[in-house]
Amino acid sequence: MCVCVCVCVQSGPASLPAEDISTNSNGPKQDSLFDDDPEDLFAEATEEVSLDSPERDVLLSDGPSPAITPITPPCSLITPHIDMFTHCSFDEIEEEEGGDSFDMHISVSDPEKVGDGMNAYMAYKVSTKTSMSLFRSQDFSVKRRFSDFLGLHSKLASKYLHIGYIVPPAPEKSIVGMTKVKVGKEDQSSNEFVEKRRSALERYLMRTVKHPTLLKDPDVLQFLESSELPRAVSTQALSSAGILRMVNKAAEAVNKMTIKMNESDAWFEEKQQHFDNLDLQLRKLHASVESLVCHRRELSVNTALFAKSAAMLGNSEDHTALSRALSQLAEVEEKIDQLHQDQANADFYCFSELLGDYVRLITAVKGVFDHRMKTWQKWQDGQILLQKKREAEAKLQFNNKPEKLQQAKDEMRELEGKVQQGERDFELISKTIRKEVSRFEKERVKDFKTIIIKYLESLVQTQQKQKVKNIIIIIFSISY
Amino acid sequence: LKLANMRSVSVDLNHDASLLIDIPDALCERDKVKFTVHTKTTLSSFQKPDFSVPRQHEDFIWLHDTLVETEDYAGLIIPPVPPKPDFESPREKMHKLGEGEATMTKEEYTKMKQELEAEYLAVFKKTVQVHEVFLQRLSSHPILSKDRNFQIFLEYDQDLTVRRKNAKEMFGGFFKNMVKSADEVLISGIKEVDDFFEQEKTFLLDYYSKIKDSTAKAEKMTRSHKNIADDYIHISATLNTLSADDSTYRHCGGYYMSSFVFLQKVEGRVASDQELKLTELLRYYMRDIQAAKDLLYRRARALVDYENSNKALDKARLKSRDIPQAEEHQKQCLQKFDKLSESGKKELTSFKGRRVVAFRKNLIEMAELEIKHAKVSSPIQPRDFYTLIHVYNM
């Protein structure tokens, strides 16, 4: 199946009649008037490529849809709605499993502050739209708070991590961010925090339900469907950070073991290396993108400051026409500032946050590998113990102590059972990890392509809008 | 090093064929820049019609200072002295880059190095330009172009170092320091009788602070653009590494990287265009307005001297002593003041015209450049973009 894209930019008349110059209000339409380049390849492209996927319209519409919240966010805070989870790859995955074809969409919205003071919390509306038979209805929603999400994750982690399933990590706790919200500071940064968290929770849920095994888990179903959820306790201990810490500690412990695992399977060795490399590169990329976000926000601030300064300079200028020109320059720069802000948001939500998700996901993958090592170790320890018991039994037989012999024989039978179980566990976790890694990698590659393409699209859009700026500058310089 | 056509801030300079000056090339040795000052003239006051001399930045300073300290030119706006070539910023960055080399891929390092070399070159070009404009302002000024020291500067084929030292000993930079310190206070405190100068004073003092602020803010904007361009270098390098390691999407990794390389080029170019046109313009006129303020200051001092001479004359009349000297002194002060006022009015009027024309020229050129970039070097050529999409769907 082919998802094609059409970026709709028409090339218009080559020259602009003089009368039209004065009105320059609307953005995107304007730029087409100046595409007088006969070799404008966009023109050809609209004929070649067909519009297949309806999601494309969401991206190419005039502006991203804002997340409506009762907490009035400042207008600049618009999250580009990254609909990266709804694409054709799901059909392939689910056909393997032989169940319902995956058709599910979860959104987290309407953050509402409940309560007052330090006991206050944010309640989010979790809405599910699905046609899958797993669920009691096709369109339903519930109210959940952050600790509910953490509780869900801790349950899933405790059930599935140690047997080799890559459980998506929950979003990070943030004491500083949350305190600001609790205290009731309704400013730009606390609104951004809420939006960042809302977006992260949505991605978390979508990743979780994309996992064919986790989707069927009763805890997940309960989380999505039941109106009342038992309050998750001691989530402080079980926050995803906490779990990751546990996983990392386990990893360290395994590394410190003197017995090195005889890796009979080259696949695992290769994959381990691969994920170590990926981890390194992703962290580096994430750091660079975070730097980009930071610098673009700085650019936005500096542009706004310059705009104000240019306006003041324009006021001070005594030559009338130049004064007008400088004031118009200031206005243009203000518009540019808005563009920069929007782009910074896109940088952040489309790129930086998603990379951050993957950095945490890779850590979870590495954790799963470490669990396999632990399983192997347990099996080996069992075998060693069994060996010792066998030797002890032989000695007992030699020394003819019947009661102790029976006890030893019983113990040995028990141990043999455990060792066999250990071997089965090891084989099972190895098999599971193979499947999981294969699924994960397929997802990851698709995700990366999507992330980057959508990000580049957003940059192209910004570039289009910048054309408007150029036109406006030309306009004022001509008129003076 | 082709440096022609870089005169972004000057207008109507170097059109008078009787004296044409330019700096066709320059050499950069460590910190020192050696400018080749080339003169073409039809004036008989010069020994040759076409000649060049090597000059250093300090020689320009000497020339400027001698002009400032010449009494006869007190009523003129002396073109601002070109600032010292400042390679500090790119040099520091180059040093940091060297230290961080181990953490980058070879490609990343090469790109960053290229960027720094370009920055170095830009600083170099700017400094040549600003020195050239200084000389051209002099050559196109009816009075200053005839200055003896100016001629020596253009013609004297030996090292000017000796002359520079002598000049320093003679004047000791004393007068210049005085001008700098008492500036604003004196100018604003004066009771102005002439409407023209009253308006000019108000305007220039206000405008100076505003343009100084705008210059600083424009510089910050340019720096942010450069930072973003650097980020794109790092991102493209890491994407490249990722795609190289990962056989699954090696075939499209190159497109991502080249897209970011385009973006980086665009950001870098936006930065340098803004820098040249807008920031340099603001910076230059900030200095020029300072020079105009200096003129106001000198006139204000002359007014103070005149008022003091009046007081001295009254005192002399009271004491019936030394009246003729006091009268003579007062007459001289008045003459000087009137001369400064007349010349100052002319200078300030033409200054305003010059400034307006320069702003217009630069803003138009800036806009034209931006349009050119938006069309030609859009970050992702549509061709590449669609290839990207098709690759994605493979």
Side-chain angles (χ1 to χ4, degrees):
Chain A
M1 192 186 148
C2 181
V3 176
C4 304
V5 139
C6 167
V7 178
C8 309
V9 171
Q10 308 101 20
S11 67
S15 59
L16 186 69
E19 305 87 72
D20 285 359
I21 292 178
S22 49
T23 53
N24 52 13
S25 42
N26 281 326
K29 282 282 166 247
Q30 197 78 1
D31 55 5
S32 61
L33 295 169
F34 281 83
D35 281 1
D36 55 1
D37 184 353
E39 285 166 358
D40 186 9
L41 291 163
F42 278 114
E44 293 166 359
T46 48
E47 291 152 27
E48 286 171 15
V49 180
S50 65
L51 190 65
D52 243 1
S53 164
E55 281 80 50
R56 285 294 161 185
D57 288 337
V58 172
L59 262 168
L60 295 171
S61 65
D62 222 299
S65 45
I68 312 152
T69 80
I71 298 161
T72 48
C75 350
S76 61
L77 193 71
I78 330 167
T79 316
H81 188 67
I82 317 121
D83 207 357
M84 55 176 284
F85 293 101
T86 318
H87 55 64
C88 52
S89 64
F90 290 127
D91 299 340
E92 297 160 32
I93 296 172
E94 282 314 304
E95 270 149 33
E96 286 172 30
E97 299 293 316
D100 270 318
S101 73
F102 185 86
D103 164 29
M104 198 163 162
H105 186 81
I106 301 183
S107 70
V108 174
S109 60
D110 305 343
E112 261 181 345
K113 187 165 157 205
V114 178
D116 261 315
M118 290 311 286
N119 288 328
Y121 63 91
M122 278 302 200
Y124 302 87
K125 179 165 152 198
V126 177
S127 317
T128 313
K129 282 190 178 64
T130 178
S131 63
M132 293 170 75
S133 53
L134 264 176
F135 296 95
R136 284 185 245 136
S137 85
Q138 298 215 326
D139 192 340
F140 50 92
S141 66
V142 291
K143 281 265 187 206
R144 295 285 178 255
R145 54 185 289 188
F146 185 65
S147 54
D148 294 334
F149 289 81
L150 292 185
L152 173 66
H153 175 257
S154 80
K155 285 193 200 133
L156 295 176
S158 61
K159 279 197 258 184
Y160 294 100
L161 260 182
H162 66 276
I163 49 173
Y165 286 95
I166 302 171
V167 177
E172 297 285 312
K173 283 194 110 177
S174 164
I175 299 177
V176 173
M178 225 18 232
T179 311
K180 268 202 201 154
V181 175
K182 285 182 187 185
V183 162
K185 237 181 133 202
E186 250 188 66
D187 62 350
Q188 174 87 348
S189 70
S190 64
N191 285 342
E192 275 174 15
F193 170 78
V194 170
E195 176 50 35
K196 179 174 162 186
R197 173 158 284 188
R198 184 210 64 78
S199 174
L201 290 173
E202 192 173 277
R203 294 195 306 271
Y204 165 67
L205 282 181
M206 280 305 290
R207 281 211 180 86
T208 305
V209 298
K210 265 178 3 182
H211 193 298
T213 310
L214 295 180
L215 172 60
K216 301 197 183 81
D217 184 282
D219 284 324
V220 170
L221 298 175
Q222 187 192 35
F223 182 90
L224 291 173
E225 282 183 318
S226 49
S227 47
E228 287 297 319
L229 207 63
R231 170 85 194 277
V233 289
S234 51
T235 50
Q236 288 88 345
L238 296 173
S239 72
S240 71
I243 290 194
L244 285 177
R245 266 194 294 271
M246 273 166 31
V247 164
N248 288 334
K249 256 193 234 144
E252 283 172 49
V254 169
N255 289 335
K256 287 198 189 113
M257 281 180 202
T258 48
I259 305 166
K260 197 161 191 331
M261 173 167 171
N262 268 343
E263 188 54 82
S264 52
D265 198 336
W267 185 93
F268 280 92
E269 203 167 314
E270 182 203 312
K271 283 299 171 189
Q272 191 110 26
Q273 188 66 37
H274 164 75
F275 282 111
D276 284 341
N277 281 342
L278 200 57
D279 186 33
L280 218 73
Q281 294 304 321
L282 274 184
R283 281 177 197 275
K284 191 167 174 229
L285 186 62
H286 187 221
S288 298
V289 175
E290 280 186 327
S291 170
L292 176 68
V293 170
C294 179
H295 286 142
R296 208 184 295 277
R297 291 224 162 107
E298 270 175 21
L299 176 63
S300 160
V301 167
N302 288 338
T303 310
L305 287 175
F306 175 74
K308 284 204 186 70
S309 183
M312 303 240 309
L313 188 65
N315 284 342
S316 179
E317 175 63 61
D318 60 354
H319 186 275
T320 331
L322 179 53
S323 167
R324 207 169 45 226
L326 285 171
S327 303
Q328 276 177 300
L329 176 65
E331 274 179 40
V332 164
E333 291 293 339
E334 252 182 70
K335 289 199 176 77
I336 298 300
D337 166 42
Q338 188 55 50
L339 277 181
H340 288 316
Q341 268 188 49
D342 291 345
Q343 185 56 52
N345 280 335
D347 290 346
F348 185 64
Y349 289 105
C350 286
F351 212 178
S352 177
E353 283 284 88
L354 292 169
L355 282 175
D357 285 352
Y358 265 96
V359 168
R360 281 192 297 277
L361 270 168
I362 300 286
T363 310
V365 171
K366 283 166 70 167
V368 147
F369 275 84
D370 290 332
H371 273 293
R372 175 175 172 270
M373 283 188 114
K374 266 181 89 179
T375 311
W376 180 83
Q377 193 58 51
K378 199 166 151 197
W379 173 33
Q380 293 303 306
D381 290 346
Q383 278 190 320
I384 290 169
L385 196 60
L386 185 64
Q387 185 61 25
K388 284 208 185 103
K389 285 281 182 198
R390 282 211 176 105
E391 286 166 7
E393 190 225 10
K395 249 199 228 142
L396 283 174
Q397 219 159 34
F398 190 69
N399 291 340
N400 201 11
K401 298 244 176 87
E403 330 80 46
K404 283 207 176 139
L405 192 64
Q406 187 56 41
Q407 187 188 20
K409 279 208 161 96
D410 288 337
E411 279 175 3
M412 254 183 56
R413 214 171 304 129
E414 207 186 309
L415 255 180
E416 271 165 11
K418 279 213 179 102
V419 167
Q420 278 170 2
Q421 182 62 41
E423 184 174 5
R424 277 199 297 274
D425 285 345
F426 179 70
E427 274 165 18
L428 182 61
I429 196 178
S430 300
K431 180 161 162 248
T432 307
I433 289 180
R434 275 178 186 268
K435 217 166 47 151
E436 283 286 283
V437 164
S438 156
R439 186 190 65 89
F440 177 82
E441 284 290 272
K442 240 205 247 167
E443 279 295 312
R444 180 179 68 81
V445 168
K446 282 208 154 71
D447 269 359
F448 273 25
K449 281 185 192 172
T450 311
I451 290 172
I452 290 179
I453 288 178
K454 295 201 181 195
Y455 178 67
L456 290 175
E457 275 181 2
S458 81
L459 281 171
V460 169
Q461 277 201 306
T462 308
Q463 195 66 10
Q464 304 283 3
K465 287 180 187 165
Q466 282 220 289
K467 278 190 188 179
V468 178
K469 165 203 175 183
N470 303 330
I471 279 91
I472 295 175
I473 292 181
I474 288 280
I475 289 167
F476 80 66
S477 55
I478 290 171
S479 64
Y480 125 75
Chain B
L1 200 73
K2 195 135 203 315
L3 298 165
N5 303 324
M6 286 289 291
R7 302 180 210 102
S8 66
V9 295
S10 66
V11 274
D12 300 333
L13 291 182
N14 225 38
H15 290 326
D16 184 358
S18 66
L19 186 61
L20 292 171
I21 305 179
D22 70 317
I23 300 183
D25 66 75
L27 213 71
C28 187
E29 279 168 14
R30 305 181 116 247
D31 258 4
K32 290 251 168 236
V33 184
K34 274 204 174 68
F35 304 94
T36 304
V37 178
H38 169 243
T39 312
K40 240 165 119 175
T41 177
T42 58
L43 299 173
S44 53
S45 47
F46 290 91
Q47 288 174 7
K48 288 186 268 184
D50 197 325
F51 51 91
S52 295
V53 290
R55 290 286 177 252
Q56 293 177 29
H57 172 70
E58 287 71 23
D59 300 330
F60 287 78
I61 296 185
W62 164 79
L63 178 59
H64 173 262
D65 289 352
T66 58
L67 295 173
V68 166
E69 285 155 17
T70 307
E71 267 301 305
D72 285 345
Y73 303 149
L76 308 175
I77 297 178
I78 311 291
V81 64
K84 191 173 157 106
D86 180 18
F87 296 99
E88 188 57 44
S89 165
R91 186 156 351 100
E92 209 183 295
K93 278 193 184 168
M94 192 71 93
H95 184 70
K96 266 201 206 133
L97 180 67
E99 284 180 348
E101 187 179 352
T103 64
M104 302 184 204
T105 67
K106 186 156 164 280
E107 231 182 84
E108 220 174 320
Y109 178 76
T110 314
K111 283 219 170 58
M112 294 291 290
K113 192 145 166 274
Q114 276 174 359
E115 278 309 300
L116 279 178
E117 283 166 2
E119 199 177 312
Y120 217 93
L121 189 66
V123 170
F124 187 55
K125 279 186 184 170
K126 262 192 320 199
T127 194
V128 167
Q129 173 193 308
V130 84
H131 283 75
E132 190 181 68
V133 164
F134 172 70
L135 295 177
Q136 289 173 345
R137 284 277 297 275
L138 293 175
S139 68
S140 49
H141 195 286
I143 299 172
L144 292 172
S145 59
K146 301 193 178 67
D147 181 76
R148 177 79 193 121
N149 283 317
F150 183 45
Q151 186 170 345
I152 292 173
F153 178 92
L154 292 175
E155 216 176 21
Y156 188 60
D157 58 1
Q158 305 288 322
D159 202 337
L160 282 176
T161 326
V162 177
R163 283 190 172 258
R164 286 197 268 125
K165 268 212 214 109
N166 292 342
K168 247 206 169 80
E169 278 156 20
M170 276 208 324
F171 299 116
F174 167 75
F175 189 71
K176 206 161 74 152
N177 288 337
M178 278 183 63
V179 169
K180 288 262 156 46
S181 52
D183 223 59
E184 306 255 333
V185 175
L186 190 65
I187 298 178
S188 35
I190 228 67
K191 245 185 309 221
E192 194 50 74
V193 283
D194 189 333
D195 260 349
F196 173 81
F197 281 100
E198 179 61 35
Q199 276 177 3
E200 281 301 302
K201 178 183 79 181
T202 314
F203 169 70
L204 284 175
L205 288 179
D206 181 44
Y207 201 78
Y208 179 73
S209 71
K210 301 276 161 54
I211 200 171
K212 191 164 167 207
D213 185 60
S214 295
T215 308
K217 302 274 160 64
E219 278 171 3
K220 272 190 157 160
M221 253 197 335
T222 310
R223 217 171 309 144
S224 287
H225 274 299
K226 285 219 177 85
N227 285 339
I228 291 179
D230 284 348
D231 285 332
Y232 283 139
I233 292 181
H234 294 305
I235 291 175
S236 77
T238 314
L239 280 176
N240 196 33
T241 313
L242 263 173
S243 63
D245 289 345
D246 217 343
S247 55
T248 35
Y249 60 120
R250 195 176 290 144
H251 51 277
C252 51
Y255 288 101
Y256 305 150
M257 193 193 71
S258 65
S259 300
F260 280 102
V261 167
F262 281 132
L263 287 167
Q264 174 246 321
K265 284 208 167 73
V266 168
E267 287 288 350
R269 221 169 298 165
V270 168
S272 63
D273 286 343
Q274 274 193 342
E275 174 81 336
L276 271 181
K277 295 276 159 233
L278 189 60
T279 313
E280 272 307 289
L281 175 73
L282 292 172
R283 216 181 269 141
Y284 185 81
Y285 277 96
M286 180 180 81
R287 279 188 235 120
D288 220 4
I289 286 173
Q290 181 64 48
K293 276 167 65 182
D294 290 346
L295 168 59
L296 283 182
Y297 170 76
R298 290 193 290 270
R299 180 177 165 275
R301 285 235 341 170
L303 184 57
V304 167
D305 289 343
Y306 173 58
E307 284 173 356
N308 287 341
S309 76
N310 271 336
K311 288 197 194 114
L313 182 57
D314 289 340
K315 226 199 263 181
R317 287 205 175 115
L318 229 74
K319 290 194 184 144
S320 298
R321 239 184 38 194
D322 297 324
I323 297 181
Q325 292 105 303
E327 277 178 347
E328 183 58 32
H329 182 62
Q330 190 239 36
K331 194 166 112 198
Q332 277 180 356
C333 283
L334 181 60
Q335 264 179 358
K336 181 168 170 211
F337 176 69
D338 282 342
K339 179 167 162 235
L340 284 189
S341 297
E342 189 190 324
S343 150
K345 201 177 249 177
K346 252 195 284 191
E347 287 278 299
L348 287 170
T349 311
S350 76
F351 171 62
K352 189 187 300 286
R354 198 172 62 231
R355 191 184 80 241
V356 168
V357 170
F359 268 74
R360 180 169 203 271
K361 175 167 176 274
N362 278 276
L363 289 175
I364 291 180
E365 283 175 6
M366 182 175 86
E368 284 173 350
L369 270 172
E370 297 233 18
I371 294 222
K372 188 177 108 188
H373 287 152
K375 271 186 174 177
V376 171
S377 55
S378 81
I380 305 137
Q381 292 294 347
R383 196 183 312 120
D384 291 338
F385 190 66
Y386 290 106
T387 320
L388 235 174
I389 302 291
H390 289 307
V391 154
Y392 164 67
N393 291 310
M394 274 196 236

